[in-house]
């Protein structure tokens, strides 16, 4: 008889964790992992694999866990993912592998993410590595950006024998894994640095402080540095703002700025030189994962936090787990609420957020019901910091400096689902093509592009 | 790591450093800036580029010791290194797109305040190389704080020094000297002001009266400096622009200076270097 309920995962106590940046979820131990693995019914045609953007052979690695073959489990995952400890922690499994799990029809779906994390953590803790440099094929590929798309693309190319160099604009590799996702969700030194180290073990070189489009152009990479192909995975760019009065008051920051100060620059550590300002009350505008990360970070920095979102909980793009964790920790929510102005004092500092109530109307292009204002329902929320988490538009640097590269109207690079752009030899994937999305979708795009690059290099 | 090849003290708290950074040196253009970091937990600090030598692979920067982070830079000696040195960043000065024949016929005026003299230098050097007529007003609080006068004289047709206390050159602010020059009949096709925000604001107010086309280079707050965080946003022509990727140079008459100055002070209270004192005669808190 199969257990209908998934093995719960142990977590840091909500009260305690709001006072620290340590990881919230402890993950499974060996017994819990085997017990959860035993719930998998090993489908002949596993839907979970097709639900995974990088097509990890999920039933295979779960079977290996059950058989106590941890090296086998790690090897199965490594065939398709170079960042399993990352993905096990941050993927929106409920809308991917776990969302299509057959068990989920009547019972809890298998906790695939937690099992993936368990395998990846085991491999790291036991120094089990599958990263061995391949036989060189004599091809040189440049990758722009060391975030999930670039790392996934680099991994597959290196495994095929390409000489791969990743160019990173910031001082630390990892992209959004380092500047965006907070430590309490994704430990940097333990998890991110280690998995990037595994990618380096395949022979991939990472050069930091190179802003492609400025320090070197894509044309120069081809003409002067001898690269045979370039993959652009430079990620999302400039933060979007609301376009309402008061948005440039002191105390209004983008989620990107707030999180970059805290995560990449480690402003929460006393030794860090980088300042961060949270005040006493923070209003976070937005309903995605980034909004949740900003809210929970502000909370840990000592503020009271309210999230303002214009639709309802059902439409929130954030992972269910993130919203749940935020709530547990004491973040409050104002749903069906939209800011109309940021209020400030005579010195130009934020004092509040003027909002208006919304109701849901007809569905819009995204299929979600369009929120419309309820006339006369304005009210004020007192706050001294407003964090705007509305997503990003594309970074214009590569667009402006790469002739012949077709752009869409949002300044994103036009690329098909195989990562092919309008410039021969130039491939692209991840947020720079799609706009803000998820780690795993960027990784999927990076892998697709790697495939296309290998085909291009052979032709 | 990016090694310091040479260090020279220009004024009591101001030093010049030539740093080995071949990639930046080969791609830098007048008007651009870079970001440096000192130490494992160091801040990302935007600095202007003072000179660059693609052959030697070196970039020259000038810094003033005003707070914790700039003190860390100042403390570095020859042979030591920056952890990070990223750039060049920002859009190069617009005149680099002009043809030499056009530039030859043009008269430029640069107005440099304090440390702003450093980023003015590569622009003047470039224009001089193209045969343009260039004059430079350099303003400082006192004689000791006038930097790069000799270097500037090599590339500018005239250098006008102003000191607040009259210890050297013209006694008074750069705006007074600017007014004097223009009232005296001097005419320029283009002016560029680089210095503290408050100086650029007042230069703008003065130049407006003479319909003098004016560009300013905005030294806003920045974190990544590559177009990601939005900390550097400024209102230019009523629209939000990002100094790191749309600037740092903008048409002075479109810039909301009061907002820009206010935004610069956003982290004043949090800054772990709360002892910033103005060294160029603007009083405290500017």
């Amino acid at each position: 008889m199969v257990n209908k309920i998934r093995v719960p995962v142990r977590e840091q106590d909500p009260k305690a964790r709001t006072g620290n940046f340590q990881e919230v979820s402890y993950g499974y131990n060996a017994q819990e992992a085997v017990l959860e693995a035993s719930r998998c019914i090993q489908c002949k045609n596993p839907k979970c694999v097709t639900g995974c953007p990088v097509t990890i052979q999920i039933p295979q690695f779960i079977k290996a866990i059950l058989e106590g073959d941890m090296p086998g489990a790690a090897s199965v995952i490594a065939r398709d993912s170079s960042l399993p400890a990352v993905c096990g922690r941050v993927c929106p499994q409920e809308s991917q592998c776990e969302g299509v799990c057959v068990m989920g029809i009547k019972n809890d779906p298998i906790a695939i993410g937690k099992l993936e994390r368990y395998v990846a953590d085991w491999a790291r803790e036991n120094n089990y590595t599958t990263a061995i440099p391949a036989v060189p094929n004599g091809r040189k590929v440049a990758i722009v950006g060391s975030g999930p798309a670039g790392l996934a693309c680099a991994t597959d190319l290196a495994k095929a024998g390409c000489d791969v160099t990743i160019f990173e604009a910031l001082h630390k590799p990892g992209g959004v894994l380092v500047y965006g996702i907070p430590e309490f969700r994704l430990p940097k030194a333990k998890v991110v640095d280690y998995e990037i180290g595994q990618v380096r073990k395949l022979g991939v070189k990472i050069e930091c402080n190179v802003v492609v489009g400025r320090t070197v152009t894509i044309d120069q990479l081809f003409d002067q540095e001898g690269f045979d192909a370039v993959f652009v995975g430079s990620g999302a760019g400039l933060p979007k703002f609301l376009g309402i009065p008061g948005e440039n008051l002191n105390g209004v920051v983008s989620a990107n700025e707030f999180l970059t100060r805290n995560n990449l620059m480690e402003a929460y550590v006393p030794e860090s030189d980088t300042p961060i300002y949270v005040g006493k009350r923070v209003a976070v505008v937005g309903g995605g994962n980034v909004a949740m990360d900003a809210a929970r970070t502000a909370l840990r920095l000592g503020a009271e936090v309210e999230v303002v979102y214009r639709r309802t909980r059902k439409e929130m793009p954030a992972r269910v787990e993130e919203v749940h964790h935020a709530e547990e920790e004491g973040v409050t929510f104002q749903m069906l609420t939209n800011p109309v102005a940021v209020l400030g004092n005579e010195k130009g500092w934020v004092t509040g957020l003027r909002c208006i109530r919304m109701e849901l109307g007809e569905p819009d292009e995204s299929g979600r019901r369009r929120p419309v204002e309820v006339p006369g329902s304005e009210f004020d929320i007192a706050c001294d910091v407003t964090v705007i988490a509305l997503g990003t538009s594309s970074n214009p640097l590569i667009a402006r400096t790469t002739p012949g590269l077709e752009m869409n109207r949002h300044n994103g690079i036009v690329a098909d689902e195989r990562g092919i752009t309008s410039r021969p030899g130039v491939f692209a994937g991840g947020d720079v093509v799609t706009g803000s999305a998820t780690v795993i979708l960027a990784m999927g795009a990076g892998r697709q592009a790697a495939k296309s690059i290998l085909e291009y290099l052979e032709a | 790591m990016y090694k310091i090849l040479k260090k020279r003290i220009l004024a009591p708290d101001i030093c010049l450093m030539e740093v080995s950074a071949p990639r930046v040196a080969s791609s830098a253009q007048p008007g651009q800036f870079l970001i440096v970091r000192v130490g494992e937990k160091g801040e990302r600090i935007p600095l202007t580029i003072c000179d660059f030598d693609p052959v030697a692979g070196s970039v020259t920067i000038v810094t003033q010791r005003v707070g914790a982070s700039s003190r860390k830079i100042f403390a570095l000696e020859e042979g030591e290194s920056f952890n990070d040195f990223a750039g060049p960043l920002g859009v190069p000065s617009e005149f680099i797109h002009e043809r030499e024949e056009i530039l030859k016929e043009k008269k430029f005026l640069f107005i440099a305040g304090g440390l702003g003299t450093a980023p003015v230098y590569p622009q003047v050097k470039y224009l001089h190389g193209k045969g343009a007529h260039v004059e430079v007003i350099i303003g400082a609080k006192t004689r000791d704080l006038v930097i790069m006068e000799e270097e500037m004289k090599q590339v500018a047709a005239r250098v006008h020094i102003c000191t607040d206390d009259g210890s050297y050159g013209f006694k008074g602010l750069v705006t007074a000297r600017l007014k004097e020059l223009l009232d005296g009949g001097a005419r320029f096709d283009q002016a560029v002001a680089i210095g503290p925000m408050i100086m650029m604001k007042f230069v703008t107010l003065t130049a407006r009266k003479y319909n003098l086309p004016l560009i300013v280079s905005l030294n806003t707050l920045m974190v990544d400096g590559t177009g990601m965080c939005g900390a550097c946003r400024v209102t230019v022509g009523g629209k939000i622009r990002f100094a790191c990727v749309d600037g740092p140079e903008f048409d002075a008459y479109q810039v909301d200076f009061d907002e820009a100055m206010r935004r610069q002070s956003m982290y004043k209270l949090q800054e772990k270097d709360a002892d910033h004192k103005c060294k160029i005669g603007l009083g405290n808190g500017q």
Side-chain angles (χ1 to χ4, degrees):
Chain A
M1 185 59 205
V2 177
N3 198 335
K4 294 179 173 182
I5 297 173
R6 66 164 60 176
V7 177
V9 71
R10 288 162 293 111
E11 291 172 346
Q12 212 193 135
D13 174 69
K15 277 235 166 56
R17 74 192 189 223
T18 53
N20 67 56
F21 275 87
Q22 283 149 32
E23 198 171 9
V24 167
S25 169
Y26 292 128
Y28 285 154
N29 61 26
Q31 289 84 350
E32 290 162 338
V34 169
L35 193 61
E36 181 63 19
S38 72
R39 296 181 59 235
C40 174
I41 56 171
Q42 295 287 321
C43 301
K44 282 259 156 35
N45 289 309
K47 289 209 164 114
C48 51
V49 178
T50 50
C52 172
V54 297
T55 61
I56 292 173
Q57 299 303 307
I58 293 162
Q60 264 190 48
F61 90 73
I62 293 181
K63 189 157 177 267
I65 297 175
L66 199 56
E67 290 166 352
D69 176 15
M70 290 309 294
S75 304
V76 169
I77 296 177
R79 285 207 300 264
D80 297 293
S81 175
S82 49
L83 304 172
V86 170
C87 293
R89 287 169 166 83
V90 305
C91 264
Q93 287 97 3
E94 73 255 22
S95 58
Q96 294 174 358
C97 53
E98 294 176 15
V100 290
C101 173
V102 171
M103 280 291 284
I105 299 170
K106 285 190 174 160
N107 311 304
D108 283 352
I110 307 298
I112 299 168
K114 299 286 181 286
L115 290 174
E116 181 185 26
R117 169 182 166 167
Y118 172 70
V119 172
D121 287 354
W122 176 90
R124 184 182 66 249
E125 284 156 15
N126 291 277
N127 260 325
Y128 178 78
T129 178
T130 52
I132 300 154
V135 181
N137 66 7
R139 299 302 195 151
K140 258 182 92 174
V141 183
I143 292 188
V144 183
S146 63
L151 289 170
C153 187
T155 299
D156 283 6
L157 291 170
K159 282 181 182 170
C162 295
D163 176 0
V164 182
T165 305
I166 303 182
F167 296 103
E168 168 56 47
L170 297 174
H171 57 271
K172 246 174 124 176
V176 72
L177 307 178
V178 170
Y179 75 74
I181 304 176
E183 180 76 14
F184 56 82
R185 227 158 49 87
L186 184 62
K188 306 292 166 251
K190 191 172 92 179
V191 172
V192 180
D193 294 355
Y194 173 83
E195 294 206 325
I196 291 173
Q198 294 297 300
V199 176
R200 287 192 212 253
K201 270 198 176 156
L202 292 167
V204 172
K205 288 160 276 186
I206 304 179
E207 198 182 327
C208 288
N209 297 323
V210 177
V211 186
V212 173
R214 287 274 177 249
T215 314
V216 64
T217 61
I218 286 181
D219 285 326
Q220 287 170 328
L221 290 176
F222 282 116
D223 302 340
Q224 294 169 17
E225 304 203 17
F227 286 99
D228 300 303
V230 176
F231 171 74
V232 183
S234 52
L238 296 166
K240 285 182 188 158
F241 289 91
L242 289 152
I244 58 173
E247 219 164 8
N248 285 350
L249 287 167
N250 287 9
V252 183
V253 294
S254 75
N256 263 7
E257 177 183 350
F258 189 71
L259 291 171
T260 300
R261 284 182 184 276
N262 194 70
N263 302 338
L264 175 72
M265 306 312 296
E266 300 175 87
Y268 68 95
V269 188
E271 309 86 70
S272 170
D273 290 342
T274 304
I276 193 162
Y277 181 64
V278 283
K280 290 198 177 72
R281 277 182 59 92
V282 175
V284 176
V285 181
N289 287 319
V290 174
M292 295 306 109
D293 284 345
R296 298 172 68 197
T297 297
L299 203 72
R300 282 163 173 75
L301 292 171
E304 270 177 56
V305 186
E306 187 142 62
V307 170
V308 174
Y309 180 57
R310 61 189 184 139
R311 292 182 162 99
T312 71
R313 190 180 183 118
K314 214 175 84 201
E315 287 85 18
M316 278 178 87
R319 291 172 72 208
V320 173
E321 186 177 285
E322 306 313 327
V323 183
H324 170 67
H325 279 157
E327 223 160 28
E328 267 188 347
E329 289 166 9
V331 171
T332 55
F333 292 84
Q334 288 279 354
M335 299 293 182
L336 287 168
T337 300
N338 208 25
V340 290
V342 186
L343 309 173
N345 61 20
E346 67 288 351
K347 288 190 169 156
W349 284 81
V350 172
T351 56
L353 198 58
R354 177 149 302 159
C355 298
I356 190 162
R357 295 285 181 203
M358 310 293 278
E359 55 190 14
L360 293 181
E362 295 299 305
D364 63 11
E365 321 84 74
S366 72
R368 295 180 297 180
R369 290 173 66 193
R370 185 195 299 273
V372 286
E373 291 181 357
V374 178
S377 65
E378 286 90 348
F379 68 102
D380 295 347
I381 295 174
C383 63
D384 23 34
V385 165
T386 299
V387 180
I388 311 285
L390 297 173
T392 56
S393 60
S394 299
N395 188 309
L397 276 188
I398 290 176
R400 285 181 191 163
T401 57
T402 312
L405 195 58
E406 196 190 325
M407 298 289 151
N408 63 29
R409 63 195 172 93
H410 306 294
N411 253 331
I413 297 175
V414 175
D416 67 12
E417 68 284 356
R418 293 164 301 163
I420 296 171
T421 72
S422 59
R423 270 268 313 251
V426 179
F427 301 80
D431 283 5
V432 73
V433 172
T434 56
S436 319
T438 61
V439 167
I440 191 66
L441 287 174
M443 286 179 67
R447 294 200 78 193
Q448 280 297 330
K451 226 168 124 189
S452 303
I453 290 170
L454 291 171
E455 282 165 19
Y456 169 81
L457 294 175
E458 272 163 28
Chain B
M1 300 290 271
Y2 304 79
K3 199 168 168 180
I4 296 163
L5 306 171
K6 263 186 211 152
K7 179 181 175 182
R8 187 152 60 88
I9 306 293
L10 301 183
D13 281 318
I14 302 176
C15 77
L16 173 148
M17 286 173 174
E18 202 179 307
V19 182
S20 171
R23 278 197 185 276
V24 184
S26 65
S27 46
Q29 304 259 29
Q32 293 185 298
F33 65 97
L34 46 80
I35 283 198
V36 304
R37 232 168 51 91
V38 182
E40 272 311 306
K41 306 275 180 201
E43 232 180 321
R44 289 175 69 87
I45 309 161
L47 291 180
T48 51
I49 295 173
C50 176
D51 205 357
F52 45 92
D53 183 344
V55 181
S58 66
V59 176
T60 305
I61 54 166
V62 172
T63 36
Q64 184 164 20
R65 185 160 54 178
V66 289
S69 288
S70 54
R71 262 202 300 278
K72 278 191 181 176
I73 299 177
F74 199 90
L76 292 173
E77 297 299 339
E78 273 179 21
E80 293 187 302
S81 297
F82 284 92
N83 293 56
D84 301 285
F85 203 86
L89 299 166
V91 181
S93 301
E94 224 172 82
F95 57 69
I96 70 157
H97 303 294
E98 287 277 22
R99 292 204 317 276
E100 205 166 324
E101 309 89 83
I102 309 266
L103 289 178
K104 244 187 202 129
E105 302 302 317
K106 290 216 164 153
K107 290 178 81 174
F108 287 82
L109 175 66
F110 284 83
I111 302 126
L115 209 61
T117 314
V120 159
Y121 176 71
Q123 301 204 17
V124 178
K125 185 179 168 186
Y126 176 93
L127 289 167
H128 173 72
K130 302 287 176 191
H133 175 92
V134 191
E135 296 189 26
V136 183
I137 300 176
I138 299 177
K141 188 178 179 183
T142 183
R143 181 173 195 143
D144 279 356
L145 296 171
V146 175
I147 58 167
M148 302 186 69
E149 183 187 357
E150 286 315 308
E151 290 89 338
M152 206 66 90
K153 279 183 172 162
Q154 302 296 313
V155 290
R158 284 183 75 187
V159 176
H160 313 264
I161 308 278
C162 316
T163 51
D164 297 0
D165 62 1
S167 54
Y168 189 42
F170 176 87
K171 182 179 191 297
L173 299 173
V174 290
T175 42
R177 182 66 181 127
L178 171 65
K179 195 168 173 304
E180 193 183 66
L181 271 178
L182 297 172
D183 286 342
R187 288 293 168 263
F188 299 93
D189 300 295
Q190 179 71 57
V192 179
I194 309 181
M197 208 69 95
I198 184 115
M199 179 209 97
M200 294 191 284
K201 175 186 166 174
F202 282 102
V203 168
T204 304
L205 293 174
T206 304
R208 191 195 297 273
K209 294 179 195 146
Y210 298 86
N211 290 320
L212 176 62
L214 180 66
I215 299 280
V216 289
S217 181
L218 300 184
N219 50 331
T220 60
L221 292 181
M222 285 186 193
V223 186
D224 67 292
T226 64
M228 196 183 81
C229 80
C232 67
R233 65 190 191 278
V234 283
T235 302
V236 180
K239 290 199 184 96
I240 288 187
R241 304 292 299 275
F242 299 94
C244 73
V245 289
D246 298 324
E249 298 191 339
F250 293 101
D251 176 359
Y253 302 118
Q254 305 292 318
V255 173
D256 183 341
F257 284 105
D258 293 336
E259 179 190 278
M261 278 188 278
R262 170 170 51 70
R263 288 186 53 77
Q264 260 189 335
S265 70
M266 161 102 196
Y267 291 92
K268 272 274 154 65
L269 296 172
Q270 284 69 45
E271 259 166 32
K272 292 154 189 174
D273 55 85
D275 57 348
H276 178 150
K277 287 200 180 60
C278 183
K279 303 230 172 33
I280 61 162
L282 297 168
N284 279 338
Q286 296 294 356

